[in-house]
Amino acid sequence: MAGGPGLGHVVNARIVYWGVSGAGNTTNLERIHHKLRPDHRGGLERIATPEDPGVHYEVMPIELGEISGVRTRLQIVALPGSVDHAATRKQLVDQVDGVVFVIDARRERLSENLAALDELRSVLGAYGRELDEVPSVLQYNHRDQADGLAGEEPQRKSGLRAAAGEAIA
């Protein structure tokens, strides 16, 4: 939190959407952008990765105004999910304030989901942080294409203790 005499208090928070390629990180950000009031959202910016200018990640600023006298700003980032972009994901997770881990609920993606979760833990560990210390939400996506409880296996197998929810419709 920042602020000074006459400036008031400001909270800036970065929330990242982390998940395997095709899980829905970008789609979620686009839907959030569409549903927010125009005076609360900034533009949805696509930024090319340094490794491959053909691959992008998305960033959207959100200005919520004053909440209990505190100016509140969020930056939501949809990270590229491809394993080829680990360096970009690592850079964007530095000083993150919250994580939405997007799980592709299809059974055939289970091992990829678990590998992405291991990578997230490793990246946070490189910054001296534990996943359990970072506010997290599990979001199940593609449940309509999943069999039974397949989408919840990553949570059971990983021991995650996070709030869980469905994708934004």
Side-chain angles (χ1 to χ4, degrees):
M1 180 162 31
L7 296 178
H9 293 286
V10 178
V11 169
N12 292 301
R14 174 182 278 186
I15 300 170
V16 297
Y17 273 72
W18 184 288
V20 298
S21 184
N25 297 347
T26 298
T27 301
N28 279 295
L29 197 57
E30 290 169 348
R31 295 223 175 137
I32 291 168
H33 185 265
H34 177 74
K35 288 185 177 258
L36 278 174
R37 291 182 0 201
D39 60 324
H40 283 191
R41 69 175 187 236
L44 185 57
E45 186 177 359
R46 289 199 160 92
I47 300 171
T49 62
E51 299 87 17
D52 183 355
V55 176
H56 299 82
Y57 62 92
E58 290 76 26
V59 177
M60 180 181 61
I62 299 173
E63 177 73 50
L64 297 176
E66 283 199 19
I67 300 173
S68 299
V70 177
R71 187 172 178 187
T72 306
R73 297 176 175 164
L74 302 175
Q75 180 187 56
I76 312 261
V77 182
L79 302 178
S82 171
V83 295
D84 298 336
H85 300 100
T88 298
R89 285 192 301 277
K90 181 176 181 181
Q91 176 187 7
L92 293 169
V93 169
D94 185 20
Q95 300 181 10
V96 70
D97 298 293
V99 174
V100 177
F101 187 79
V102 183
I103 294 174
D104 187 324
R106 295 173 288 189
R107 185 170 298 281
E108 63 268 17
R109 303 294 306 268
L110 176 61
S111 63
E112 291 172 83
N113 286 317
L114 293 173
L117 182 59
D118 287 344
E119 179 190 1
L120 176 57
R121 283 188 169 121
S122 175
V123 166
L124 288 170
Y127 292 116
R129 300 177 73 191
E130 297 285 330
L131 181 56
D132 289 345
E133 299 168 358
V134 178
S136 303
V137 173
L138 298 178
Q139 178 183 324
Y140 298 103
N141 210 359
H142 301 294
R143 272 197 157 169
D144 58 330
Q145 301 168 27
D147 60 331
L149 300 175
E152 294 170 7
E153 276 188 63
Q155 184 174 2
R156 286 194 308 272
K157 289 189 175 194
S158 66
L160 285 174
R161 297 181 317 250
E166 295 287 337
I168 297 172

